[in-house]
Amino acid sequence: MSMWNKSIGIIGTGKFLPDNIVTNKDIEKMVDTSDEWIRERTGIEERCIAPEGLNTSDMAVEAAKAAIADAGLSVDDIDCIIVATMTPDMNIPSTACLVQAKLGADKAAGFDLHIACSGYIYSLITAVSYINSGLFKNVLVIGAEIMSRVLNWKDRSTCILFGDGAGACIVSEVPEGYGMLSMDMGINGGAGMNLTIPASGVAMIPTDARAAEGLTYLHMNGPEVYKFAVRTMGKTVINALDKIHLTVEDLDFFIPHQANKRIIDSAAHRLKLPAEKVFINLPKYGNTTAASIAIALDEALHSGLIKRGDIVAMAGFGAGLSWGSLIAKWY
Ligand code: UT7
């Protein structure tokens, strides 16, 4: 009942969060907002913010080390490194190359995968497909972001939402019958400008003048992205379940992208999933973009919420606009 010929799953996870915490009360001092508004409209209470000098690749390396140890592997076992990020240290070299050098993973190939909040799911699907084809054996998948450096800290509609962090996992073959069963992914580029960093590429080179206009920061049409998210999160899970003739009743656990508690609640409601089957760590971290599901998965696994044999769904959505989901029988 799997879309892939081989049984391929996640054999270890890790995470890294900066220890510098910024609460809603702290943000009250920066923009015209309130702890009450942020909690009610988003569910977020605080977020971790990377201090100067700590970069996306550094956090990715720490999460990767934890995942490699958790899987019982050594860096030499890693064949390929995929880093999902929209906040790379720099455009070139890829963050995966920086991570490879810092880890000393000399046998690994690697690249960055850039599709914002859907990046971790897209990277997992890529890793599974590589392993299924026989190209690689152990793929290190990392979601890592320093969103705080692309936020306009004068824009209350965006700066309250995001946080920094990294999550990682090792994708490998697992015993027959376990592992990834199905996936769904898609994009709607026509709606893409609802979530953009305008001056971040060759169409609009980031200059000091453009930075002064706020064009080098994240711009979001919040209500449009909200409507898209609410429509998409449940639908992509159902699409993935349909492909392997499962239904929502078969799901034991759901790990949604952590963007807004109201979006998660609404998706869970549409899927008719009870709260105890839905993982939420958003209050502590805010939206960590490509890292969000990776961190959530690590926490759900290490707190014993997911058991061997459980049918688990993961779903992400975000800039692009993009979405993706995976269904797995947990090993
Ligand atoms: O990973 C994917 C990325 N993004 C998302 O998933 C975000 C999706 N969107 C959202 O989560 C929500 O749209 C937001 C949380 C961003 C905004 O919540 P909303 O309920 O959609 O608020 P709104 O944008 O419709 O704004 C309502 C009011 C406005 O005031 P007026 O025009 O009614 O007077 C805003 O100016 O709330 C105001 N507002 C704020 N007030 C206090 C917007 N941000 C804030 C704020 N504090 N931080």
Side-chain angles (χ1 to χ4, degrees):
M1 100 169 157
S2 170
M3 290 177 73
W4 293 278
N5 306 325
K6 294 181 184 167
S7 298
I8 301 158
I10 290 174
I11 62 162
T13 62
K15 66 170 180 182
F16 176 84
L17 278 312
D19 52 18
N20 174 39
I21 292 168
V22 172
T23 64
N24 292 345
K25 287 271 175 209
D26 295 327
I27 296 189
E28 279 181 2
K29 294 173 200 142
M30 303 176 200
V31 286
D32 179 16
T33 190
S34 67
D35 177 41
E36 191 190 0
W37 193 97
I38 301 171
R39 279 173 198 257
E40 271 178 16
R41 300 288 183 118
T42 72
I44 298 165
E45 294 169 14
E46 56 189 38
R47 68 286 290 144
C48 305
I49 300 292
E52 215 184 306
L54 184 72
N55 292 315
T56 301
S57 65
D58 301 316
M59 300 199 306
V61 164
E62 293 311 316
K65 282 182 187 163
I68 293 167
D70 192 44
L73 298 182
S74 84
V75 282
D76 288 336
D77 296 316
I78 306 302
D79 301 310
C80 181
I81 302 169
I82 307 177
V83 180
T85 186
M86 58 165 275
T87 51
D89 288 18
M90 56 197 84
N91 256 328
I92 46 172
S94 296
T95 312
C97 300
L98 304 174
V99 169
Q100 187 246 5
K102 289 179 189 177
L103 273 179
D106 297 334
K107 295 181 183 153
F111 56 91
D112 289 3
L113 196 152
H114 183 0
I115 187 81
C117 305
S118 306
Y120 182 68
I121 296 288
Y122 274 58
S123 299
L124 284 178
I125 294 168
T126 306
V128 171
S129 303
Y130 272 148
I131 295 168
N132 194 55
S133 72
L135 282 180
F136 296 119
K137 198 161 172 275
N138 299 308
V139 181
L140 167 61
V141 173
I142 306 169
E145 302 281 12
I146 299 196
M147 291 302 294
S148 60
R149 297 198 195 142
V150 296
L151 294 175
N152 182 348
W153 286 93
K154 292 181 181 144
D155 175 7
R156 68 178 181 174
S157 70
T158 52
C159 75
I160 58 154
L161 294 172
F162 296 91
D164 304 336
C169 72
I170 308 291
V171 183
S172 294
E173 279 198 58
V174 293
E176 205 177 325
Y178 292 95
M180 301 302 178
L181 302 177
S182 182
M183 64 91 200
D184 178 62
M185 62 207 287
I187 51 173
N188 174 12
M193 295 313 278
N194 284 309
L195 186 40
T196 179
I197 303 178
S200 57
V202 294
M204 206 190 278
I205 295 288
T207 59
D208 287 348
R210 285 175 177 145
E213 282 180 69
L215 292 169
T216 53
Y217 298 121
L218 186 100
H219 289 243
M220 181 173 66
N221 181 341
E224 275 307 310
V225 176
Y226 185 93
K227 276 187 266 171
F228 154 77
V230 163
R231 279 196 305 267
T232 308
M233 274 258 273
K235 196 160 168 274
T236 185
V237 171
I238 287 172
N239 287 347
L241 286 168
D242 278 350
K243 288 174 192 171
I244 45 167
H245 311 294
L246 292 185
T247 68
V248 173
E249 283 81 61
D250 295 307
L251 281 182
D252 295 299
F253 207 67
F254 179 38
I255 302 187
H257 170 46
Q258 310 284 313
N260 183 322
K261 175 133 187 333
R262 289 190 295 144
I263 294 173
I264 297 173
D265 289 346
S266 161
H269 181 72
R270 282 169 185 235
L271 289 168
K272 300 194 180 68
L273 278 174
E276 62 272 18
K277 287 189 174 181
V278 182
F279 190 78
I280 298 185
N281 62 7
L282 175 82
K284 290 187 290 181
Y285 305 134
N287 179 351
T288 56
T289 314
S292 113
I293 298 173
I295 296 168
L297 178 62
D298 180 72
E299 293 194 344
L301 284 167
H302 288 112
S303 53
L305 290 167
I306 298 174
K307 290 164 202 71
R308 183 174 286 202
D310 278 354
I311 302 290
V312 178
M314 297 177 265
F317 65 87
L321 299 176
S322 63
W323 62 91
S325 62
L326 264 168
I327 311 293
K329 182 169 180 175
W330 215 263
Y331 163 61

PDB file of all heavy atoms in Angstrom, residues 13-17 48 166-168 253 255 258 279-285 291-306:
ATOM      1  N   THR A  13      15.920  11.674  14.554  1.00  0.00           N
ATOM      2  CA  THR A  13      15.579  13.104  14.416  1.00  0.00           C
ATOM      3  C   THR A  13      16.392  13.928  15.416  1.00  0.00           C
ATOM      4  O   THR A  13      16.919  13.402  16.406  1.00  0.00           O
ATOM      5  CB  THR A  13      14.078  13.364  14.704  1.00  0.00           C
ATOM      6  OG1 THR A  13      13.811  12.984  16.054  1.00  0.00           O
ATOM      7  CG2 THR A  13      13.168  12.623  13.763  1.00  0.00           C
ATOM      8  N   GLY A  14      16.473  15.224  15.168  1.00  0.00           N
ATOM      9  CA  GLY A  14      17.137  16.146  16.101  1.00  0.00           C
ATOM     10  C   GLY A  14      16.628  17.554  15.871  1.00  0.00           C
ATOM     11  O   GLY A  14      15.939  17.827  14.882  1.00  0.00           O
ATOM     12  N   LYS A  15      16.939  18.442  16.804  1.00  0.00           N
ATOM     13  CA  LYS A  15      16.504  19.835  16.651  1.00  0.00           C
ATOM     14  C   LYS A  15      17.515  20.754  17.318  1.00  0.00           C
ATOM     15  O   LYS A  15      18.345  20.314  18.138  1.00  0.00           O
ATOM     16  CB  LYS A  15      15.125  20.045  17.281  1.00  0.00           C
ATOM     17  CG  LYS A  15      15.146  19.877  18.783  1.00  0.00           C
ATOM     18  CD  LYS A  15      13.867  20.320  19.464  1.00  0.00           C
ATOM     19  CE  LYS A  15      14.032  20.104  20.965  1.00  0.00           C
ATOM     20  NZ  LYS A  15      12.908  20.421  21.785  1.00  0.00           N
ATOM     21  N   PHE A  16      17.439  22.012  16.969  1.00  0.00           N
ATOM     22  CA  PHE A  16      18.230  23.038  17.667  1.00  0.00           C
ATOM     23  C   PHE A  16      17.417  24.322  17.698  1.00  0.00           C
ATOM     24  O   PHE A  16      16.915  24.774  16.671  1.00  0.00           O
ATOM     25  CB  PHE A  16      19.560  23.306  16.959  1.00  0.00           C
ATOM     26  CG  PHE A  16      20.333  24.415  17.618  1.00  0.00           C
ATOM     27  CD1 PHE A  16      21.138  24.160  18.715  1.00  0.00           C
ATOM     28  CD2 PHE A  16      20.207  25.727  17.179  1.00  0.00           C
ATOM     29  CE1 PHE A  16      21.821  25.196  19.363  1.00  0.00           C
ATOM     30  CE2 PHE A  16      20.884  26.767  17.809  1.00  0.00           C
ATOM     31  CZ  PHE A  16      21.693  26.500  18.908  1.00  0.00           C
ATOM     32  N   LEU A  17      17.298  24.879  18.884  1.00  0.00           N
ATOM     33  CA  LEU A  17      16.618  26.172  19.042  1.00  0.00           C
ATOM     34  C   LEU A  17      17.562  27.119  19.760  1.00  0.00           C
ATOM     35  O   LEU A  17      18.161  26.731  20.775  1.00  0.00           O
ATOM     36  CB  LEU A  17      15.339  26.018  19.904  1.00  0.00           C
ATOM     37  CG  LEU A  17      14.031  25.518  19.290  1.00  0.00           C
ATOM     38  CD1 LEU A  17      13.671  26.220  17.991  1.00  0.00           C
ATOM     39  CD2 LEU A  17      13.995  24.030  19.124  1.00  0.00           C
ATOM     40  N   CYS A  48      12.033  31.770  19.657  1.00  0.00           N
ATOM     41  CA  CYS A  48      13.484  31.819  19.852  1.00  0.00           C
ATOM     42  C   CYS A  48      14.073  32.661  18.725  1.00  0.00           C
ATOM     43  O   CYS A  48      13.692  32.497  17.564  1.00  0.00           O
ATOM     44  CB  CYS A  48      14.077  30.418  19.788  1.00  0.00           C
ATOM     45  SG  CYS A  48      13.317  29.277  20.947  1.00  0.00           S
ATOM     46  N   ALA A 166      15.918  24.995  13.963  1.00  0.00           N
ATOM     47  CA  ALA A 166      16.272  23.972  12.978  1.00  0.00           C
ATOM     48  C   ALA A 166      15.837  22.597  13.467  1.00  0.00           C
ATOM     49  O   ALA A 166      15.860  22.313  14.668  1.00  0.00           O
ATOM     50  CB  ALA A 166      17.787  23.971  12.746  1.00  0.00           C
ATOM     51  N   GLY A 167      15.433  21.766  12.522  1.00  0.00           N
ATOM     52  CA  GLY A 167      15.101  20.367  12.820  1.00  0.00           C
ATOM     53  C   GLY A 167      15.719  19.508  11.733  1.00  0.00           C
ATOM     54  O   GLY A 167      15.906  19.974  10.598  1.00  0.00           O
ATOM     55  N   ALA A 168      16.061  18.275  12.077  1.00  0.00           N
ATOM     56  CA  ALA A 168      16.705  17.408  11.086  1.00  0.00           C
ATOM     57  C   ALA A 168      16.247  15.970  11.274  1.00  0.00           C
ATOM     58  O   ALA A 168      15.750  15.597  12.348  1.00  0.00           O
ATOM     59  CB  ALA A 168      18.227  17.480  11.249  1.00  0.00           C
ATOM     60  N   PHE A 253      -2.006  10.140  14.246  1.00  0.00           N
ATOM     61  CA  PHE A 253      -1.370  11.375  14.695  1.00  0.00           C
ATOM     62  C   PHE A 253      -1.151  12.317  13.509  1.00  0.00           C
ATOM     63  O   PHE A 253      -0.896  11.862  12.390  1.00  0.00           O
ATOM     64  CB  PHE A 253      -0.009  11.037  15.343  1.00  0.00           C
ATOM     65  CG  PHE A 253       0.414  12.042  16.364  1.00  0.00           C
ATOM     66  CD1 PHE A 253      -0.280  12.201  17.547  1.00  0.00           C
ATOM     67  CD2 PHE A 253       1.531  12.846  16.134  1.00  0.00           C
ATOM     68  CE1 PHE A 253       0.112  13.136  18.490  1.00  0.00           C
ATOM     69  CE2 PHE A 253       1.927  13.785  17.069  1.00  0.00           C
ATOM     70  CZ  PHE A 253       1.222  13.935  18.243  1.00  0.00           C
ATOM     71  N   ILE A 255       0.881  15.898  12.345  1.00  0.00           N
ATOM     72  CA  ILE A 255       1.852  16.967  12.625  1.00  0.00           C
ATOM     73  C   ILE A 255       1.693  18.039  11.553  1.00  0.00           C
ATOM     74  O   ILE A 255       2.200  17.889  10.430  1.00  0.00           O
ATOM     75  CB  ILE A 255       3.295  16.424  12.651  1.00  0.00           C
ATOM     76  CG1 ILE A 255       3.372  15.326  13.713  1.00  0.00           C
ATOM     77  CG2 ILE A 255       4.281  17.552  12.947  1.00  0.00           C
ATOM     78  CD1 ILE A 255       4.753  14.816  13.972  1.00  0.00           C
ATOM     79  N   GLN A 258       3.380  24.596  11.778  1.00  0.00           N
ATOM     80  CA  GLN A 258       2.993  25.433  12.922  1.00  0.00           C
ATOM     81  C   GLN A 258       3.020  26.916  12.512  1.00  0.00           C
ATOM     82  O   GLN A 258       4.043  27.585  12.655  1.00  0.00           O
ATOM     83  CB  GLN A 258       3.954  25.190  14.092  1.00  0.00           C
ATOM     84  CG  GLN A 258       4.165  23.727  14.447  1.00  0.00           C
ATOM     85  CD  GLN A 258       3.010  23.112  15.193  1.00  0.00           C
ATOM     86  OE1 GLN A 258       2.505  23.702  16.155  1.00  0.00           O
ATOM     87  NE2 GLN A 258       2.572  21.930  14.789  1.00  0.00           N
ATOM     88  N   PHE A 279      -0.445  17.568  16.943  1.00  0.00           N
ATOM     89  CA  PHE A 279       0.696  18.104  17.691  1.00  0.00           C
ATOM     90  C   PHE A 279       0.811  19.617  17.503  1.00  0.00           C
ATOM     91  O   PHE A 279       0.810  20.115  16.382  1.00  0.00           O
ATOM     92  CB  PHE A 279       1.997  17.437  17.243  1.00  0.00           C
ATOM     93  CG  PHE A 279       3.141  17.788  18.142  1.00  0.00           C
ATOM     94  CD1 PHE A 279       3.277  17.166  19.372  1.00  0.00           C
ATOM     95  CD2 PHE A 279       4.056  18.762  17.788  1.00  0.00           C
ATOM     96  CE1 PHE A 279       4.321  17.498  20.232  1.00  0.00           C
ATOM     97  CE2 PHE A 279       5.106  19.098  18.635  1.00  0.00           C
ATOM     98  CZ  PHE A 279       5.234  18.467  19.859  1.00  0.00           C
ATOM     99  N   ILE A 280       0.949  20.333  18.616  1.00  0.00           N
ATOM    100  CA  ILE A 280       1.105  21.795  18.563  1.00  0.00           C
ATOM    101  C   ILE A 280       2.233  22.218  19.503  1.00  0.00           C
ATOM    102  O   ILE A 280       2.191  21.954  20.704  1.00  0.00           O
ATOM    103  CB  ILE A 280      -0.209  22.508  18.964  1.00  0.00           C
ATOM    104  CG1 ILE A 280      -1.328  22.141  17.986  1.00  0.00           C
ATOM    105  CG2 ILE A 280      -0.013  24.022  19.012  1.00  0.00           C
ATOM    106  CD1 ILE A 280      -2.639  22.858  18.205  1.00  0.00           C
ATOM    107  N   ASN A 281       3.272  22.857  18.943  1.00  0.00           N
ATOM    108  CA  ASN A 281       4.300  23.481  19.789  1.00  0.00           C
ATOM    109  C   ASN A 281       4.474  24.962  19.437  1.00  0.00           C
ATOM    110  O   ASN A 281       5.402  25.618  19.926  1.00  0.00           O
ATOM    111  CB  ASN A 281       5.646  22.736  19.706  1.00  0.00           C
ATOM    112  CG  ASN A 281       6.222  22.741  18.299  1.00  0.00           C
ATOM    113  OD1 ASN A 281       5.703  23.384  17.410  1.00  0.00           O
ATOM    114  ND2 ASN A 281       7.301  22.012  18.102  1.00  0.00           N
ATOM    115  N   LEU A 282       3.564  25.432  18.600  1.00  0.00           N
ATOM    116  CA  LEU A 282       3.573  26.820  18.132  1.00  0.00           C
ATOM    117  C   LEU A 282       3.691  27.868  19.243  1.00  0.00           C
ATOM    118  O   LEU A 282       4.400  28.871  19.065  1.00  0.00           O
ATOM    119  CB  LEU A 282       2.284  27.042  17.330  1.00  0.00           C
ATOM    120  CG  LEU A 282       1.975  28.424  16.811  1.00  0.00           C
ATOM    121  CD1 LEU A 282       2.724  28.668  15.517  1.00  0.00           C
ATOM    122  CD2 LEU A 282       0.485  28.574  16.587  1.00  0.00           C
ATOM    123  N   PRO A 283       3.028  27.681  20.411  1.00  0.00           N
ATOM    124  CA  PRO A 283       3.133  28.722  21.445  1.00  0.00           C
ATOM    125  C   PRO A 283       4.580  29.046  21.828  1.00  0.00           C
ATOM    126  O   PRO A 283       4.898  30.198  22.102  1.00  0.00           O
ATOM    127  CB  PRO A 283       2.375  28.120  22.638  1.00  0.00           C
ATOM    128  CG  PRO A 283       1.391  27.186  22.017  1.00  0.00           C
ATOM    129  CD  PRO A 283       2.076  26.616  20.805  1.00  0.00           C
ATOM    130  N   LYS A 284       5.464  28.029  21.793  1.00  0.00           N
ATOM    131  CA  LYS A 284       6.860  28.232  22.239  1.00  0.00           C
ATOM    132  C   LYS A 284       7.767  28.806  21.157  1.00  0.00           C
ATOM    133  O   LYS A 284       8.751  29.456  21.455  1.00  0.00           O
ATOM    134  CB  LYS A 284       7.483  26.869  22.636  1.00  0.00           C
ATOM    135  CG  LYS A 284       6.948  26.263  23.890  1.00  0.00           C
ATOM    136  CD  LYS A 284       7.768  25.013  24.260  1.00  0.00           C
ATOM    137  CE  LYS A 284       7.534  23.867  23.288  1.00  0.00           C
ATOM    138  NZ  LYS A 284       8.261  22.634  23.591  1.00  0.00           N
ATOM    139  N   TYR A 285       7.452  28.480  19.890  1.00  0.00           N
ATOM    140  CA  TYR A 285       8.418  28.774  18.824  1.00  0.00           C
ATOM    141  C   TYR A 285       7.921  29.701  17.727  1.00  0.00           C
ATOM    142  O   TYR A 285       8.721  30.151  16.903  1.00  0.00           O
ATOM    143  CB  TYR A 285       8.870  27.457  18.150  1.00  0.00           C
ATOM    144  CG  TYR A 285       9.422  26.424  19.100  1.00  0.00           C
ATOM    145  CD1 TYR A 285       9.026  25.099  19.033  1.00  0.00           C
ATOM    146  CD2 TYR A 285      10.360  26.781  20.077  1.00  0.00           C
ATOM    147  CE1 TYR A 285       9.541  24.141  19.895  1.00  0.00           C
ATOM    148  CE2 TYR A 285      10.872  25.833  20.949  1.00  0.00           C
ATOM    149  CZ  TYR A 285      10.456  24.519  20.855  1.00  0.00           C
ATOM    150  OH  TYR A 285      10.971  23.579  21.714  1.00  0.00           O
ATOM    151  N   ALA A 291      11.543  24.805   9.174  1.00  0.00           N
ATOM    152  CA  ALA A 291      11.971  24.009  10.333  1.00  0.00           C
ATOM    153  C   ALA A 291      10.786  23.510  11.159  1.00  0.00           C
ATOM    154  O   ALA A 291      10.945  22.620  11.996  1.00  0.00           O
ATOM    155  CB  ALA A 291      12.905  24.832  11.213  1.00  0.00           C
ATOM    156  N   SER A 292       9.609  24.064  10.922  1.00  0.00           N
ATOM    157  CA  SER A 292       8.504  23.854  11.870  1.00  0.00           C
ATOM    158  C   SER A 292       8.100  22.387  12.031  1.00  0.00           C
ATOM    159  O   SER A 292       7.998  21.874  13.138  1.00  0.00           O
ATOM    160  CB  SER A 292       7.325  24.762  11.502  1.00  0.00           C
ATOM    161  OG  SER A 292       6.213  24.073  11.068  1.00  0.00           O
ATOM    162  N   ILE A 293       7.874  21.685  10.921  1.00  0.00           N
ATOM    163  CA  ILE A 293       7.439  20.279  11.025  1.00  0.00           C
ATOM    164  C   ILE A 293       8.605  19.418  11.528  1.00  0.00           C
ATOM    165  O   ILE A 293       8.413  18.466  12.289  1.00  0.00           O
ATOM    166  CB  ILE A 293       6.897  19.769   9.671  1.00  0.00           C
ATOM    167  CG1 ILE A 293       5.667  20.594   9.261  1.00  0.00           C
ATOM    168  CG2 ILE A 293       6.527  18.292   9.746  1.00  0.00           C
ATOM    169  CD1 ILE A 293       5.154  20.302   7.868  1.00  0.00           C
ATOM    170  N   ALA A 294       9.824  19.781  11.130  1.00  0.00           N
ATOM    171  CA  ALA A 294      11.007  19.015  11.560  1.00  0.00           C
ATOM    172  C   ALA A 294      11.176  19.077  13.081  1.00  0.00           C
ATOM    173  O   ALA A 294      11.445  18.063  13.735  1.00  0.00           O
ATOM    174  CB  ALA A 294      12.250  19.559  10.861  1.00  0.00           C
ATOM    175  N   ILE A 295      11.008  20.258  13.643  1.00  0.00           N
ATOM    176  CA  ILE A 295      11.118  20.422  15.105  1.00  0.00           C
ATOM    177  C   ILE A 295       9.952  19.706  15.792  1.00  0.00           C
ATOM    178  O   ILE A 295      10.120  18.992  16.788  1.00  0.00           O
ATOM    179  CB  ILE A 295      11.147  21.917  15.489  1.00  0.00           C
ATOM    180  CG1 ILE A 295      12.394  22.600  14.919  1.00  0.00           C
ATOM    181  CG2 ILE A 295      11.062  22.098  17.009  1.00  0.00           C
ATOM    182  CD1 ILE A 295      12.371  24.130  14.998  1.00  0.00           C
ATOM    183  N   ALA A 296       8.751  19.888  15.239  1.00  0.00           N
ATOM    184  CA  ALA A 296       7.556  19.278  15.834  1.00  0.00           C
ATOM    185  C   ALA A 296       7.677  17.753  15.836  1.00  0.00           C
ATOM    186  O   ALA A 296       7.357  17.092  16.833  1.00  0.00           O
ATOM    187  CB  ALA A 296       6.305  19.720  15.070  1.00  0.00           C
ATOM    188  N   LEU A 297       8.167  17.202  14.736  1.00  0.00           N
ATOM    189  CA  LEU A 297       8.316  15.746  14.643  1.00  0.00           C
ATOM    190  C   LEU A 297       9.292  15.246  15.700  1.00  0.00           C
ATOM    191  O   LEU A 297       9.031  14.254  16.397  1.00  0.00           O
ATOM    192  CB  LEU A 297       8.815  15.368  13.237  1.00  0.00           C
ATOM    193  CG  LEU A 297       9.074  13.886  12.997  1.00  0.00           C
ATOM    194  CD1 LEU A 297       7.787  13.079  13.146  1.00  0.00           C
ATOM    195  CD2 LEU A 297       9.673  13.667  11.607  1.00  0.00           C
ATOM    196  N   ASP A 298      10.418  15.935  15.849  1.00  0.00           N
ATOM    197  CA  ASP A 298      11.411  15.539  16.852  1.00  0.00           C
ATOM    198  C   ASP A 298      10.787  15.549  18.249  1.00  0.00           C
ATOM    199  O   ASP A 298      10.968  14.609  19.031  1.00  0.00           O
ATOM    200  CB  ASP A 298      12.613  16.496  16.791  1.00  0.00           C
ATOM    201  CG  ASP A 298      13.672  16.119  17.809  1.00  0.00           C
ATOM    202  OD1 ASP A 298      14.352  15.106  17.604  1.00  0.00           O
ATOM    203  OD2 ASP A 298      13.794  16.826  18.834  1.00  0.00           O
ATOM    204  N   GLU A 299      10.017  16.599  18.544  1.00  0.00           N
ATOM    205  CA  GLU A 299       9.421  16.696  19.890  1.00  0.00           C
ATOM    206  C   GLU A 299       8.331  15.645  20.088  1.00  0.00           C
ATOM    207  O   GLU A 299       8.220  15.051  21.168  1.00  0.00           O
ATOM    208  CB  GLU A 299       8.868  18.112  20.108  1.00  0.00           C
ATOM    209  CG  GLU A 299       9.989  19.133  20.155  1.00  0.00           C
ATOM    210  CD  GLU A 299       9.580  20.494  20.701  1.00  0.00           C
ATOM    211  OE1 GLU A 299       8.368  20.779  20.770  1.00  0.00           O
ATOM    212  OE2 GLU A 299      10.500  21.264  21.061  1.00  0.00           O
ATOM    213  N   ALA A 300       7.534  15.396  19.058  1.00  0.00           N
ATOM    214  CA  ALA A 300       6.462  14.394  19.185  1.00  0.00           C
ATOM    215  C   ALA A 300       7.065  13.006  19.401  1.00  0.00           C
ATOM    216  O   ALA A 300       6.580  12.224  20.224  1.00  0.00           O
ATOM    217  CB  ALA A 300       5.577  14.410  17.936  1.00  0.00           C
ATOM    218  N   LEU A 301       8.145  12.716  18.676  1.00  0.00           N
ATOM    219  CA  LEU A 301       8.777  11.396  18.816  1.00  0.00           C
ATOM    220  C   LEU A 301       9.429  11.233  20.181  1.00  0.00           C
ATOM    221  O   LEU A 301       9.241  10.222  20.860  1.00  0.00           O
ATOM    222  CB  LEU A 301       9.843  11.208  17.725  1.00  0.00           C
ATOM    223  CG  LEU A 301       9.298  10.910  16.332  1.00  0.00           C
ATOM    224  CD1 LEU A 301      10.393  11.054  15.280  1.00  0.00           C
ATOM    225  CD2 LEU A 301       8.714   9.497  16.281  1.00  0.00           C
ATOM    226  N   HIS A 302      10.177  12.270  20.603  1.00  0.00           N
ATOM    227  CA  HIS A 302      10.917  12.129  21.854  1.00  0.00           C
ATOM    228  C   HIS A 302      10.041  12.273  23.086  1.00  0.00           C
ATOM    229  O   HIS A 302      10.463  11.918  24.183  1.00  0.00           O
ATOM    230  CB  HIS A 302      12.122  13.076  21.861  1.00  0.00           C
ATOM    231  CG  HIS A 302      13.186  12.589  20.916  1.00  0.00           C
ATOM    232  ND1 HIS A 302      13.530  13.240  19.761  1.00  0.00           N
ATOM    233  CD2 HIS A 302      13.934  11.448  20.912  1.00  0.00           C
ATOM    234  CE1 HIS A 302      14.454  12.549  19.098  1.00  0.00           C
ATOM    235  NE2 HIS A 302      14.718  11.458  19.783  1.00  0.00           N
ATOM    236  N   SER A 303       8.808  12.751  22.919  1.00  0.00           N
ATOM    237  CA  SER A 303       7.904  12.750  24.081  1.00  0.00           C
ATOM    238  C   SER A 303       7.000  11.516  24.051  1.00  0.00           C
ATOM    239  O   SER A 303       6.053  11.425  24.831  1.00  0.00           O
ATOM    240  CB  SER A 303       7.098  14.048  24.155  1.00  0.00           C
ATOM    241  OG  SER A 303       6.457  14.269  22.933  1.00  0.00           O
ATOM    242  N   GLY A 304       7.271  10.593  23.124  1.00  0.00           N
ATOM    243  CA  GLY A 304       6.557   9.311  23.124  1.00  0.00           C
ATOM    244  C   GLY A 304       5.142   9.375  22.572  1.00  0.00           C
ATOM    245  O   GLY A 304       4.352   8.444  22.759  1.00  0.00           O
ATOM    246  N   LEU A 305       4.815  10.452  21.884  1.00  0.00           N
ATOM    247  CA  LEU A 305       3.447  10.590  21.367  1.00  0.00           C
ATOM    248  C   LEU A 305       3.211   9.737  20.127  1.00  0.00           C
ATOM    249  O   LEU A 305       2.074   9.430  19.781  1.00  0.00           O
ATOM    250  CB  LEU A 305       3.144  12.064  21.055  1.00  0.00           C
ATOM    251  CG  LEU A 305       3.009  12.958  22.280  1.00  0.00           C
ATOM    252  CD1 LEU A 305       3.036  14.429  21.891  1.00  0.00           C
ATOM    253  CD2 LEU A 305       1.711  12.637  23.018  1.00  0.00           C
ATOM    254  N   ILE A 306       4.310   9.404  19.426  1.00  0.00           N
ATOM    255  CA  ILE A 306       4.183   8.556  18.237  1.00  0.00           C
ATOM    256  C   ILE A 306       4.807   7.205  18.566  1.00  0.00           C
ATOM    257  O   ILE A 306       5.925   7.145  19.069  1.00  0.00           O
ATOM    258  CB  ILE A 306       4.915   9.189  17.031  1.00  0.00           C
ATOM    259  CG1 ILE A 306       4.274  10.538  16.678  1.00  0.00           C
ATOM    260  CG2 ILE A 306       4.876   8.247  15.831  1.00  0.00           C
ATOM    261  CD1 ILE A 306       5.015  11.296  15.588  1.00  0.00           C
TER     262      ILE A 306
END
